[in-house]
Each structure stands twice: as C-alpha cells, then as structure tokens.
Amino acid sequence: MSYSGSVPDTHTRPTDWLALAPCKDDPDAMFPGINPQHIEKAKAFCRRCTAVERCLQWALDTGTEEGVWGGLTEAERRPYKRTGTRTISIDDYTGIPATRARIAGRTHQQAWDDGIEPDGDHILWVGPKTVHHPDGPLTPNRLSFFLDRGRWAEGEVRRTCGVDRCVKPGHLADQRERDEAKLAAAA
C-alpha cells in the first residue's frame, strides 16, 4: 500500500453537543419544576454528561430561563446571567479545580480544534466564549485570526460573512484589513 500524502481524519466529533447529552433520552426530566426530587434527578443527568459546560454556556448565551441546563437550575444560573461578560464554567459552581488548569500545555491549535464545528461553507465556534490559555484569554475570532495569519490582530476582529459564531479565517478581518479594503475600494 502506498502513502497517499493525506492525513486521515481520526478525530471524530459529533455535529451537535446535544448528541453527547444523556438527557436527550428523557428531555422532560430536565424541566422539573420546583420538586427537589425531580431537580436532583435532572442534575444526575448533568453529572454524567460530557457536554455539561457547553450546555451551561448555551443556556447563558441564549438567555434560557426554564429547566436545568449544565447542572444548574434557573435560580442557580441567574447570578451568572447578570455578569454576562465572562465565560463561566461548571467548575465555578461545583468547586472542581478550574478548567483553565486542565488545559495547561494545550497549543493554540488544540484549543481551536476542540471548539469548532464545520457547517457548510462556515466553521462555527461551539466552545466557550473565551479560550483560556497561558498567553491570556482569547476570543475565538482572535484565536482563529492568529492561527491563519500568524500574527495577532490589530483592533477588533469582525466577521465578514454575517453568520453568527463563524470563525472561518477567510470570513474574519481585523482593523488593518478593513482599512486596506476601504483604501482599495476608494482607488
């Protein structure tokens, strides 16, 4: 057998974080009302779920008020909802050592690979709002821009495609690139 030069895609990832969730088999259990026993049953699903952080972040990002998401009830999510400017982790609530400690030593590329999901002509960011890295916190747009261009962005990195959560490098531009495009259009 000869070598084709291509690298096999051995990293499979579900297209949707809900595909990982054990609660998908009993979604009604995640809306327990105020009964403490029903709430505990819902949280038991979350304790064995590998997508618990994405679930919690999704609930906060979308403003979902009903049900147990990411292991937290409506009342437990409320304080995080008010802050709104930082990425939260289920670790913040449970007291488990911080997620940032678990990603020490990861490369920028590994952080990006873990947070993306292909979607047609776009690459959507499904990871946390902020990528915690030894270089400091990064937005997904800045991380994608750096990996593609090999330089840090000047000013804000904005999407040029208009698709929410798209981090495809060709669909991003920093201030320098936007200024250069304006000059080219004016010439």
Side-chain angles (χ1 to χ4, degrees):
M1 182 171 159
S2 65
Y3 177 65
S4 69
S6 66
V7 178
D9 183 12
T10 58
H11 183 75
T12 58
R13 129 178 2 134
T15 58
D16 185 3
W17 59 266
L18 283 172
L20 302 171
C23 64
K24 71 181 180 295
D25 297 329
D26 188 8
D28 292 337
M30 304 314 288
F31 299 91
I34 59 172
N35 183 319
Q37 290 174 325
H38 293 166
I39 291 171
E40 182 53 36
K41 178 183 177 188
K43 287 183 174 187
F45 278 113
C46 298
R47 284 193 290 273
R48 65 179 195 261
C49 182
T50 59
V52 68
E53 287 180 332
R54 285 185 179 178
C55 176
L56 177 57
Q57 195 65 55
W58 179 87
L60 294 170
D61 290 348
T62 61
T64 301
E65 295 182 11
E66 302 292 320
V68 173
W69 294 90
L72 303 181
T73 65
E74 301 96 328
E76 292 166 336
R77 287 192 309 273
R78 201 166 294 127
Y80 295 112
K81 186 175 171 184
R82 288 190 194 124
T83 60
T85 57
R86 71 178 188 90
T87 300
I88 71 129
S89 164
I90 192 66
D91 303 337
D92 294 341
Y93 183 76
T94 61
I96 297 170
T99 302
R100 291 180 285 285
R102 290 199 309 261
I103 64 169
R106 285 193 327 164
T107 66
H108 290 103
Q109 185 67 50
Q110 288 168 330
W112 194 77
D113 289 341
D114 290 345
I116 62 166
E117 179 178 294
D119 185 40
D121 189 38
H122 302 277
I123 299 173
L124 302 183
W125 184 260
V126 294
K129 282 184 181 179
T130 305
V131 177
H132 296 283
H133 198 270
D135 293 340
L138 301 168
T139 65
N141 289 355
R142 289 183 93 62
L143 178 61
S144 179
F145 186 93
F146 171 75
L147 289 171
D148 183 62
R149 311 305 200 276
R151 68 175 176 87
W152 292 109
E154 295 176 19
E156 184 180 356
V157 178
R158 294 185 186 158
R159 289 179 192 88
T160 59
C161 65
V163 174
D164 189 38
R165 299 184 301 138
C166 181
V167 293
K168 184 173 183 176
H171 295 182
L172 300 173
D174 70 346
Q175 188 63 51
R176 181 193 334 176
E177 291 175 356
R178 289 191 302 275
D179 290 344
E180 289 170 357
K182 285 179 188 174
L183 286 173

